[in-house]
Amino acid sequence: MPPNADLEALRKAQIIDAALRTIAERGCANVTMDDICKAAGLSKGGLAHYYRSKDDLFKAAFQEFFQRIFLRGEQTMSTFSDPLDQLLSFEWLYNPEDPDVETGYPILYDFMAIAVHDAEYREIFSDWINSWVRLLKSAIERGQSQGRFTNVKSEPAARAISAIYQGMATRWYLARGEHPAAWAIDSMKRAVIGLLGSFDKSGS
Amino acid sequence: MPPNADLEALRKAQIIDAALRTIAERGCANVTMDDICKAAGLSKGGLAHYYRSKDDLFKAAFQEFFQRIFLRGEQTMSTFSDPLDQLLSFEWLYNPEDPDVETGYPILYDFMAIAVHDAEYREIFSDWINSWVRLLKSAIERGQSQGRFTNVKSEPAARAISAIYQGMATRWYLARGEHPAAWAIDSMKRAVIGLLGSFDKSGS
DNA sequence: ATCTATAAACCGACCAGTCGGTATATAATG
DNA sequence: CATTATATACCGACTGGTCGGTTTATAGAT
């Protein structure tokens, strides 16, 4: 019905993109609507036409971000077939050349800091984690159907693995001097493999 | 010379305390100097007498915070004697009743979000991590002198363990519904024990 | 002509930092 | 001891600027 539905989609994509770039570069707290307008090549009024408020825009931007990153992980994982290889396919998380990574952590850390004080943001975070967990869980279960990883329960183990990825990432991103990518990758693999081989099945 | 050197220390402690409480409650982005003044029972001018700027105050508050938390961990760890017990002595990180914990994560996440865009903050973070690493490393090495943990190198393993703690904590704190304390503790232990038993010594 | 898209100007709330001033405490002086 | 001088501690009104949001104006499409 809208005369140009394509234009709206295009503009919204432009705006979200500009918002994510700007947030990544300067951090939520230091980003103004003007900054985003300029980055998007629009005026204040133009932007307001598509997003009512800053909150609105940020929420939409974060949603888009999470979807993008998840898709990225899903696709990378699908290039492997062995379950363990899949579970260890997240080296890209520690690749500084990767544009998703470069912008991703600033956005993620900003998001989490807000989520601490905002239930709706926590909900989004939970959903995101849950989609990672589904992905990892299915890999673990495929392994278990081959008689591997039999000492763990798939879901808690999947959650633990996803937490391990992020734990290493935080160190690598914020204190890279002492935590180079090689450390992150090696540690991630040791922790994941160690966890999958853990003996007592009662918990994970 | 100063008429009351104690007063200055007292006031500064009051202010820092008020700042940390307020930041934990509402998040850096939503905290005004007025908020902190009120929480500290001082006027704007009174506060300005002790801290030149908001930046100044925040930096001092974060420093105090990191020191406090580290002391807490160090003390808890020292109540155990077996190296592995010491390395697993961080269950308190996932105790919602603990006041340090309750205020700690909001502050830490806020801090990290700022650190992404501020080298000085990253420096503080690095130093903090390094002090944890020294602590954990010495426990690992005491274990190694007893012929245990022989498949890992102490420092990278210490860094990995510290990252694991935090990875689990993030899930527990932001998505506790699906990541209860029991999950966090169990996962942390499995990952740490698994990592310490990992086979190839080349990395960790 | 009407409706959408976009721009430009504007408004009002908010807030960090400043500044003139007051009160209090110590020190110096007679 | 009394008085003055001086430094510290603290207050709260004010300012200058920022920023989110709104309103008004204009251009283009149907």
PDB file of all heavy atoms in Angstrom, chain B residues 153-165:
ATOM      1  N   LYS B 153      50.748 -24.725  30.554  1.00  0.00           N
ATOM      2  CA  LYS B 153      51.681 -23.688  30.996  1.00  0.00           C
ATOM      3  C   LYS B 153      50.922 -22.757  31.933  1.00  0.00           C
ATOM      4  O   LYS B 153      49.790 -22.354  31.642  1.00  0.00           O
ATOM      5  CB  LYS B 153      52.184 -22.897  29.792  1.00  0.00           C
ATOM      6  CG  LYS B 153      53.118 -23.694  28.896  1.00  0.00           C
ATOM      7  CD  LYS B 153      53.781 -22.750  27.889  1.00  0.00           C
ATOM      8  CE  LYS B 153      54.240 -23.479  26.649  1.00  0.00           C
ATOM      9  NZ  LYS B 153      54.343 -22.576  25.489  1.00  0.00           N
ATOM     10  N   SER B 154      51.583 -22.389  33.018  1.00  0.00           N
ATOM     11  CA  SER B 154      50.830 -21.738  34.094  1.00  0.00           C
ATOM     12  C   SER B 154      50.191 -20.415  33.688  1.00  0.00           C
ATOM     13  O   SER B 154      49.029 -20.162  34.002  1.00  0.00           O
ATOM     14  CB  SER B 154      51.716 -21.552  35.323  1.00  0.00           C
ATOM     15  OG  SER B 154      52.806 -20.706  35.020  1.00  0.00           O
ATOM     16  N   GLU B 155      50.938 -19.560  33.001  1.00  0.00           N
ATOM     17  CA  GLU B 155      50.350 -18.247  32.750  1.00  0.00           C
ATOM     18  C   GLU B 155      49.185 -18.265  31.776  1.00  0.00           C
ATOM     19  O   GLU B 155      48.104 -17.742  32.092  1.00  0.00           O
ATOM     20  CB  GLU B 155      51.400 -17.231  32.299  1.00  0.00           C
ATOM     21  CG  GLU B 155      50.706 -15.929  31.940  1.00  0.00           C
ATOM     22  CD  GLU B 155      51.591 -14.710  32.005  1.00  0.00           C
ATOM     23  OE1 GLU B 155      52.647 -14.771  32.671  1.00  0.00           O
ATOM     24  OE2 GLU B 155      51.210 -13.699  31.393  1.00  0.00           O
ATOM     25  N   PRO B 156      49.353 -18.824  30.582  1.00  0.00           N
ATOM     26  CA  PRO B 156      48.175 -18.845  29.698  1.00  0.00           C
ATOM     27  C   PRO B 156      47.002 -19.586  30.322  1.00  0.00           C
ATOM     28  O   PRO B 156      45.848 -19.182  30.126  1.00  0.00           O
ATOM     29  CB  PRO B 156      48.670 -19.545  28.437  1.00  0.00           C
ATOM     30  CG  PRO B 156      50.057 -19.960  28.684  1.00  0.00           C
ATOM     31  CD  PRO B 156      50.559 -19.314  29.914  1.00  0.00           C
ATOM     32  N   ALA B 157      47.278 -20.625  31.082  1.00  0.00           N
ATOM     33  CA  ALA B 157      46.171 -21.344  31.722  1.00  0.00           C
ATOM     34  C   ALA B 157      45.479 -20.454  32.738  1.00  0.00           C
ATOM     35  O   ALA B 157      44.250 -20.435  32.837  1.00  0.00           O
ATOM     36  CB  ALA B 157      46.689 -22.616  32.387  1.00  0.00           C
ATOM     37  N   ALA B 158      46.271 -19.688  33.493  1.00  0.00           N
ATOM     38  CA  ALA B 158      45.674 -18.773  34.470  1.00  0.00           C
ATOM     39  C   ALA B 158      44.782 -17.754  33.765  1.00  0.00           C
ATOM     40  O   ALA B 158      43.674 -17.450  34.227  1.00  0.00           O
ATOM     41  CB  ALA B 158      46.767 -18.056  35.252  1.00  0.00           C
ATOM     42  N   ARG B 159      45.256 -17.257  32.647  1.00  0.00           N
ATOM     43  CA  ARG B 159      44.451 -16.279  31.897  1.00  0.00           C
ATOM     44  C   ARG B 159      43.161 -16.921  31.397  1.00  0.00           C
ATOM     45  O   ARG B 159      42.082 -16.312  31.412  1.00  0.00           O
ATOM     46  CB  ARG B 159      45.249 -15.708  30.728  1.00  0.00           C
ATOM     47  CG  ARG B 159      46.399 -14.829  31.184  1.00  0.00           C
ATOM     48  CD  ARG B 159      47.049 -14.036  30.066  1.00  0.00           C
ATOM     49  NE  ARG B 159      48.187 -13.291  30.588  1.00  0.00           N
ATOM     50  CZ  ARG B 159      48.104 -12.133  31.224  1.00  0.00           C
ATOM     51  NH1 ARG B 159      46.922 -11.571  31.406  1.00  0.00           N
ATOM     52  NH2 ARG B 159      49.183 -11.532  31.691  1.00  0.00           N
ATOM     53  N   ALA B 160      43.270 -18.150  30.939  1.00  0.00           N
ATOM     54  CA  ALA B 160      42.076 -18.835  30.435  1.00  0.00           C
ATOM     55  C   ALA B 160      41.075 -19.063  31.560  1.00  0.00           C
ATOM     56  O   ALA B 160      39.869 -18.846  31.395  1.00  0.00           O
ATOM     57  CB  ALA B 160      42.469 -20.160  29.793  1.00  0.00           C
ATOM     58  N   ILE B 161      41.571 -19.459  32.715  1.00  0.00           N
ATOM     59  CA  ILE B 161      40.671 -19.715  33.839  1.00  0.00           C
ATOM     60  C   ILE B 161      39.949 -18.437  34.237  1.00  0.00           C
ATOM     61  O   ILE B 161      38.734 -18.428  34.452  1.00  0.00           O
ATOM     62  CB  ILE B 161      41.466 -20.297  35.028  1.00  0.00           C
ATOM     63  CG1 ILE B 161      41.890 -21.725  34.694  1.00  0.00           C
ATOM     64  CG2 ILE B 161      40.642 -20.260  36.303  1.00  0.00           C
ATOM     65  CD1 ILE B 161      42.846 -22.340  35.699  1.00  0.00           C
ATOM     66  N   SER B 162      40.703 -17.361  34.297  1.00  0.00           N
ATOM     67  CA  SER B 162      40.071 -16.098  34.669  1.00  0.00           C
ATOM     68  C   SER B 162      39.014 -15.704  33.638  1.00  0.00           C
ATOM     69  O   SER B 162      37.950 -15.172  33.975  1.00  0.00           O
ATOM     70  CB  SER B 162      41.146 -15.030  34.851  1.00  0.00           C
ATOM     71  OG  SER B 162      40.878 -13.878  34.112  1.00  0.00           O
ATOM     72  N   ALA B 163      39.274 -15.990  32.372  1.00  0.00           N
ATOM     73  CA  ALA B 163      38.297 -15.687  31.325  1.00  0.00           C
ATOM     74  C   ALA B 163      37.058 -16.571  31.458  1.00  0.00           C
ATOM     75  O   ALA B 163      35.932 -16.132  31.201  1.00  0.00           O
ATOM     76  CB  ALA B 163      38.925 -15.856  29.946  1.00  0.00           C
ATOM     77  N   ILE B 164      37.274 -17.795  31.860  1.00  0.00           N
ATOM     78  CA  ILE B 164      36.134 -18.703  32.051  1.00  0.00           C
ATOM     79  C   ILE B 164      35.216 -18.193  33.158  1.00  0.00           C
ATOM     80  O   ILE B 164      33.995 -18.154  33.009  1.00  0.00           O
ATOM     81  CB  ILE B 164      36.634 -20.126  32.362  1.00  0.00           C
ATOM     82  CG1 ILE B 164      37.248 -20.749  31.104  1.00  0.00           C
ATOM     83  CG2 ILE B 164      35.501 -21.000  32.902  1.00  0.00           C
ATOM     84  CD1 ILE B 164      38.006 -22.038  31.349  1.00  0.00           C
ATOM     85  N   TYR B 165      35.822 -17.793  34.279  1.00  0.00           N
ATOM     86  CA  TYR B 165      35.003 -17.217  35.351  1.00  0.00           C
ATOM     87  C   TYR B 165      34.071 -16.148  34.802  1.00  0.00           C
ATOM     88  O   TYR B 165      32.882 -16.116  35.083  1.00  0.00           O
ATOM     89  CB  TYR B 165      35.869 -16.548  36.422  1.00  0.00           C
ATOM     90  CG  TYR B 165      36.775 -17.446  37.191  1.00  0.00           C
ATOM     91  CD1 TYR B 165      37.948 -16.951  37.745  1.00  0.00           C
ATOM     92  CD2 TYR B 165      36.468 -18.781  37.402  1.00  0.00           C
ATOM     93  CE1 TYR B 165      38.802 -17.755  38.482  1.00  0.00           C
ATOM     94  CE2 TYR B 165      37.309 -19.591  38.126  1.00  0.00           C
ATOM     95  CZ  TYR B 165      38.479 -19.082  38.667  1.00  0.00           C
ATOM     96  OH  TYR B 165      39.315 -19.877  39.386  1.00  0.00           O
TER      97      TYR B 165
END
